[in-house]
Amino acid sequence: MLRLFVALDLTEEVRRRLAGLGGGVPGARWTEPDTMHLTLRFIGEVPEDQAMDIDAALAELRAPAFALTFDGVGVFGSGRKARVLWAGVERNEALAHLQAKVESAIVRCGLPAEERKFSPHITLARLKDAPADRIGRFLSDRGLFRAGPMPVDRLTLYRSHLGNGGAVYEALRDYPLDGAVGG
Ligand code: 3AM
């Protein structure tokens, strides 16, 4: 079985800017800049033959390359249940279009449809018992964060290896978008 997800990789510059947001929240486990990504679809555990179908479906997917602007920060969960600090992206039709295409490609491979609404974000930190006042200060201090526009010219299929030190992500394959160099 392979634990898979589809995401957008980030440029070095955007990683550096996002990494610069970190710090100041006790109980936060900050994302390593090298592993930052924007998840389009968490797939989960699939057998190898289904992984091959997914790979083929992503290779056939056609969608235009576009540019993405990062905008603001937020938190999933609230109070004692705050789980994730994230950076957001500006509303983007091309991103929504791409995500919808990825979703239908995955469903055509026999996976159940994603029930949850797509909320594009970059995970900056996972939280455990972080004090609410420090989270509040993080959000207000970083509220004006912006980065980009960043060119998005490919999708990436990742494999997630679960271990004691948390998940390790392995990029398995890139799929160029239309209009990308080499796409
Ligand atoms: O990209 P982010 O960090 O937001 O939390 C996991 C991570 O999200 C999420 O998929 C991304 C790559 O692992 N994830 C893990 N298990 C999940 C699940 N069961 C999940 N998302 C939805 N359902």
Side-chain angles (χ1 to χ4, degrees):
M1 298 286 267
L2 291 83
R3 185 180 177 86
L4 302 177
F5 65 99
V6 180
L8 303 179
D9 197 1
L10 307 176
T11 61
E12 279 304 315
E13 187 193 342
V14 166
R15 286 178 201 287
R16 191 158 25 80
R17 293 286 318 284
L18 292 168
L21 291 170
V25 182
R29 188 155 50 82
W30 299 95
T31 309
E32 288 293 333
D34 284 354
T35 72
M36 288 177 173
H37 60 266
L38 190 158
T39 299
L40 294 178
R41 175 52 142 98
F42 178 77
I43 297 170
E45 303 268 349
V46 294
E48 204 158 325
D49 59 340
Q50 200 168 27
M52 287 170 73
D53 291 347
I54 291 167
D55 171 49
L58 293 174
E60 276 177 24
L61 188 155
R62 288 282 158 269
F66 60 98
L68 193 60
T69 298
F70 299 83
D71 185 15
V73 292
V75 62
F76 288 143
S78 60
R80 295 169 59 130
K81 292 217 185 105
R83 307 185 312 278
V84 167
L85 292 177
W86 47 264
V89 299
E90 213 175 63
R91 194 184 137 77
N92 188 311
E93 286 304 322
L95 175 65
H97 173 76
L98 178 60
Q99 191 274 334
K101 284 212 153 177
V102 169
E103 174 63 22
S104 59
I106 299 298
V107 168
R108 265 183 278 121
C109 291
L111 279 116
E114 173 62 67
E115 302 281 325
R116 294 188 293 181
K117 186 175 168 295
F118 177 51
S119 41
H121 65 274
I122 314 296
T123 295
L124 297 174
R126 296 184 190 280
L127 304 174
K128 200 165 173 232
D129 299 324
D133 60 331
R134 303 293 283 274
I135 296 172
R137 200 189 307 162
F138 177 90
L139 298 177
S140 56
D141 285 354
R142 314 286 200 278
L144 296 177
F145 173 77
R146 280 178 77 81
M150 179 191 86
V152 175
D153 57 9
R154 64 208 150 88
L155 295 171
T156 304
L157 179 62
Y158 285 89
R159 179 169 182 188
S160 172
H161 300 268
L162 298 181
N164 292 337
V168 174
Y169 302 143
E170 174 192 5
L172 294 180
R173 190 167 165 192
D174 287 335
Y175 309 89
L177 298 174
D178 292 337
V181 177

